[in-house]
Amino acid sequence: MLILPLADGAELRALEPWNAAEFAEHIDRARENLRPWIAWATTLVDEETCRAFLKQYTDKQASDSGRLYGMWVDGTLVGGTLFRTFDTRMGSCEVGVWLEPAASGRGLITAAVRHMIEWAVCARGMSRVEWRCSPANERSVAVAQRLGMTKEGVLRSEYPLNGTRQDAAVYSVLATEWLARK
Ligand SMILES: CC(C)(COP(=O)(O)OP(=O)(O)OC[C@H]1O[C@@H](n2cnc3c(N)ncnc32)[C@H](O)[C@@H]1OP(=O)(O)O)[C@@H](O)C(=O)NCCC(=O)NCCS
């Protein structure tokens, strides 16, 4: 995938280390929206830390263990999606997402994640696509529900964020379910 059009003026494409300056400016705009939910919203503070983060994902892509995409609207980077994990041996992957406030409320993330699930299931043979979020993250829960994912449970005290351990709700869609809906 080089460029995937999503809606008028919106597209999903690879977000790579050469985009670090643009990514750093985007994170500055998005930071307050992301900080309550995403650990790297606090640690990505400049072009250098952003480049290192993007490099982690080009390394994951090279080893087929994760991927990262940016979302641009009218030429401005406004958010993104990622395969935080991508385990071809186990047939399971996890999708993550983020947006700056200006781009939310348009269904762009739901549309982008549909493409990612479709690719993971149909092109890569994944059996299971996961979604993990804080049970308190209503907008993230709403995306999982809009995608028809099933809530499997809550992992208690699963990860640290801003000095406090957080629960993680786990949602998923199975390949059999995804294909049956088509
Ligand atoms: C999670 C997050 C990406 C969701 O963004 P979002 O804009 O709500 O999600 P979408 O792009 O799918 O848009 C859905 C909204 O667009 C509306 N919409 C408009 N057209 C739509 C369409 N064609 N299809 C689906 N939804 C559409 C929906 O009704 C919904 O709006 P509502 O919540 O006011 O009802 C965003 O809230 C965010 O960045 N949060 C902070 C980071 C975060 O929590 N990331 C996830 C960590 S687990």
Side-chain angles (χ1 to χ4, degrees):
M1 178 180 71
L2 287 181
I3 297 183
L4 181 66
L6 291 174
D8 292 345
E11 62 191 26
L12 199 67
R13 54 183 151 101
L15 177 56
E16 297 173 344
W18 66 271
N19 301 114
E22 190 180 6
F23 184 50
E25 287 172 13
H26 155 63
I27 293 297
D28 279 344
R29 292 190 297 272
R31 194 177 314 281
E32 292 316 309
N33 197 39
L34 309 189
R35 204 196 293 271
W37 315 114
I38 296 181
W40 47 256
T42 308
T43 56
L44 302 187
V45 291
D46 54 19
E47 190 173 333
E48 191 183 339
T49 48
C50 284
R51 185 174 292 105
F53 178 78
L54 296 177
K55 169 89 169 42
Q56 277 176 27
Y57 272 88
T58 52
D59 291 347
K60 282 191 187 201
Q61 174 147 347
S63 60
D64 203 19
S65 60
R67 275 155 210 273
L68 180 78
Y69 304 102
M71 187 184 290
W72 279 260
V73 173
D74 298 330
T76 301
L77 180 60
V78 296
T81 64
L82 48 79
F83 286 111
R84 194 184 70 86
T85 63
F86 199 86
D87 187 334
T88 53
R89 196 172 61 85
M90 301 301 282
S92 181
C93 57
E94 182 197 334
V95 175
V97 298
W98 76 95
L99 274 184
E100 54 186 76
S104 48
R106 293 178 53 186
L108 296 175
I109 285 293
T110 300
V113 176
R114 278 208 182 97
H115 285 290
M116 293 176 73
I117 297 173
E118 180 73 13
W119 183 79
V121 169
C122 297
R124 302 303 312 278
M126 286 288 170
S127 296
R128 167 188 169 83
V129 180
E130 257 184 39
W131 183 273
R132 294 185 179 210
C133 62
S134 163
N137 189 345
E138 292 176 8
R139 294 196 75 87
S140 183
V141 167
V143 176
Q145 291 172 337
R146 218 176 280 122
L147 290 163
M149 291 183 158
T150 298
K151 185 175 182 180
E152 298 181 326
V154 176
L155 302 173
R156 297 177 301 158
S157 195
E158 168 70 355
Y159 61 100
L161 179 72
N162 305 329
T164 316
R165 292 201 66 82
Q166 308 286 323
D167 292 348
V170 181
Y171 292 78
S172 72
V173 61
L174 305 184
T176 46
E177 297 164 344
W178 188 257
L179 295 170
R181 274 184 224 146
K182 293 207 323 174

